[in-house]
Amino acid sequence: MRHIISLLMENEAGALSRVSGLFSARGYNIESLTVAPTEDATLSRMTIVTRGSDDVIEQITKQLNKLIDIVKVQDLTDGSHIERELMLVKVRASGEMREEMKRMSDIFRGHILDVSDKTYTIELTGPGTKLDAFLAAIDPAAILETVRTGASGIGRGDRVMKI
Amino acid sequence: MADMELTGAEIVVRCLRDEGIKHVFGYPGGAVLNIYDEIYKQKDFEHILVRHEQAAVHAADAYARCTGQVGVAIVTSGPGATNAVTGIATAYMDSIPMVVITGQVPTAAIGQDAFQEVDTVGITRPCVKHNFLVKDVRELATTIKKAFYIAATGRPGPVVVDVPKDVTQHKCEYAYPKSVTMRSYNPTSKGHAGQIKKAAQMLLEAKRPMIYTGGGVVLGNAAPQVAELVRLLGYPITSTLMGLGGYPSPDPLFLGMLGMHGTIEANMAMQHCDVLLAVGARFDDRVVGNPKHFAKEAHRIIHIDVDPSSISKRVRVDVPIVGEVGQVLDEIIKHIKTGKEKPDQQAIKAWWAQIELWRSQDCLKYDRSSSVIKPQYVVEKLYEVTQGDAYVTSDVGQHQMWAAQYYKFAKPRRWINSGGLGTMGFGLPAAMGVQKAHPDAVVACITGEGSIQMNIQELSTCKEWNLPLKIILLNNGYLGMVRQWQEFFYEERYAESYMTSLPDFVKLAEAYGHVGMTIEKPEDVEPALREAFGKYKDRLVFLNFLTDPRENVFPMIPAGKGLSEMILV
Ligand SMILES: Cc1ncc(C[n+]2csc(CCOP(=O)(O)OP(=O)(O)O)c2C)c(N)n1
């Protein structure tokens, strides 16, 4: 099953490689990984999207907890949560496709950030599935370039991850 | 005094002093010259100069294994650090508390492919409990304190502190913290009271109980609690390779080691028990074989371990208890003692009758009338001559298994071997570490002619320090364990498992300034041992026993197979 795991960790050099090293050494898969400092500059927050059986996910959380730099681990999938991903996509937008692209971007609540004679660069945020849906909805030949951040996640309601 | 500034090198040495360190194993080089200069000037600890960095780390590791204190090694940057890696990984796999200080090129040179630069933190990351690169001298003392704290607490393990050369020159005020706290690391945990109660209850309800202990009992100093529980209940107990000595092996309640080369009675009892109590053991592949076939009849498994990630990693358990094993066992014992319930004596009696039947197969028998020396015989005689009281280190191979099977360890921390990584070359430097920790103790290294050659240069260190080790070489002329697998599983194609041109070990020992003996006949085994431990008590004696080249380790459960496929003599 797909799981989305949140980590709070010491903002130390090498902390990221400890996490990624753990995943590769133990053969866990990483679908995406995002990381940035939090409002407390000594802490970083990471979101990892992974897949595995319950046993594997249990091991992943235990092994993450065991890393000395990691302050907190939470499997967001255990409760209700929100996840968002940002995608920038550059599409062909010439001739009659130009209007069509604008329309598609609007439907998906995208923003056109940059324009050239032949292209649009569109910003889209949402759950990964929405971004997938956008890419599926437009003509594949029109896609020139995509870049995605991977998911960031947070618990819903009163569910707070803090130290 | 407080405002006196010290250099980083002085700080390293002061930290070791203030940590109460008495012995440091190491090897100098450019990046640690400043540290060595301070070592030269001090008298608080002894530095033991080895002949290869791998040996320094193994010696520090064994020092920790036999004392329970954190072992310390110092090596230089680049090749010093890479040579240390096998030793670090060995300690990591067996959860040994150790601090390794590695020199590093000056901070400004890091990343420039400088002379003798390697990314030590990167290389060691997967085989340390934690590591640090200290870039600021003001963080040096706290980092070293953290290193000792992390190494020794929770599930222990090696910690590397990488110190760039310029940091050893920079100055700052020194104060060694009395303690450190880390918000991201809170290792001490007490077992969950409800789970403990459940475990006690389950143990009392068992009809076919079994207790399975591992290295965690030794590391957690929980041998007294294990003994108390086992005797209180009268239940059978087995132990892993790493747990030997955690319960007295000569005791009739002890069924011997389990696993790939374990006894029939231990493995059968594991398979057919209805309640299994696992203490400080991790159900690893050499013990469990194929997890699908493991302990199928065990309706209930209780698992006590200090490391949550050891629990339900390979085998699902019913009552997981995370906590210091000694503390948890104390609680379980308290429950059993204060409760009214008693074990079902009739069921337990029947269970023991079954176990005795398995035991009567005498699976460790071997040909005692052989005219060539049987390796098992040497270990048995060693046990007799040393009255079971020696510290025994070993290398990796058949000799290691024979040592584990035939030397009946009665106390914890006496059996020192590389169980997890299986590092050939461990035995001799490990024996040095043990002898430094216990100068008056009897220390024997049981080894093979393959393994001993992997760190043979340490005979020189032994001379320098007059370490009166006894090297028990079971010389079968083969990389025996490899040969055994080739005989069983590769139709006797002995690919590269035979070494011609072995050195004359007697002359070799003598060349290093020690006593050497070659023993060729069974009747000479005991006299040779008596001479070595008697007349040559104060010398290193290298005993080259020419043993049966075709002897195999039995019983054997082939890798990944179930018990039914056990190979017997
Ligand atoms: C460093 C290292 N290299 C290779 C091995 C693989 N290996 C395991 S046992 C063994 C043979 C050991 O031979 P020897 O030391 O003569 O002991 P014996 O089995 O004959 O008792 C080998 C090569 C190992 N464990 N460690």
Side-chain angles (χ1 to χ4, degrees), chain B residues 331-370:
Chain B
E331 295 295 316
I332 292 180
I333 291 166
K334 213 187 295 166
H335 269 286
I336 294 175
K337 276 187 168 165
T338 55
K340 283 188 282 290
E341 273 166 86
K342 295 277 166 275
D344 177 345
Q345 291 306 342
Q346 218 171 343
I348 304 300
K349 223 173 126 191
W351 176 227
W352 268 110
Q354 171 63 68
I355 290 170
E356 291 306 340
L357 216 61
W358 288 321
R359 178 136 66 182
S360 67
Q361 292 185 48
D362 192 14
C363 66
L364 294 182
K365 61 178 173 276
Y366 63 90
D367 179 9
R368 285 164 199 277
S369 59
S370 164

Side-chain angles (χ1 to χ4, degrees), chain B residues 395-400 402 421-425 447-452 454 474 476 478-482:
Chain B
D395 274 294
V396 176
Q398 293 181 313
H399 61 273
Q400 176 191 27
W402 287 316
L421 196 66
T423 309
M424 289 171 69
T447 184
E449 74 293 338
S451 295
I452 191 69
M454 285 211 180
L474 304 179
N476 52 12
Y478 280 95
L479 299 174
M481 190 55 97
V482 174

Side-chain angles (χ1 to χ4, degrees), chain B residues 514-527:
Chain B
H514 303 303
V515 180
M517 302 178 185
T518 292
I519 303 95
E520 299 180 53
K521 293 201 263 341
E523 59 269 27
D524 295 336
V525 169
E526 186 172 341

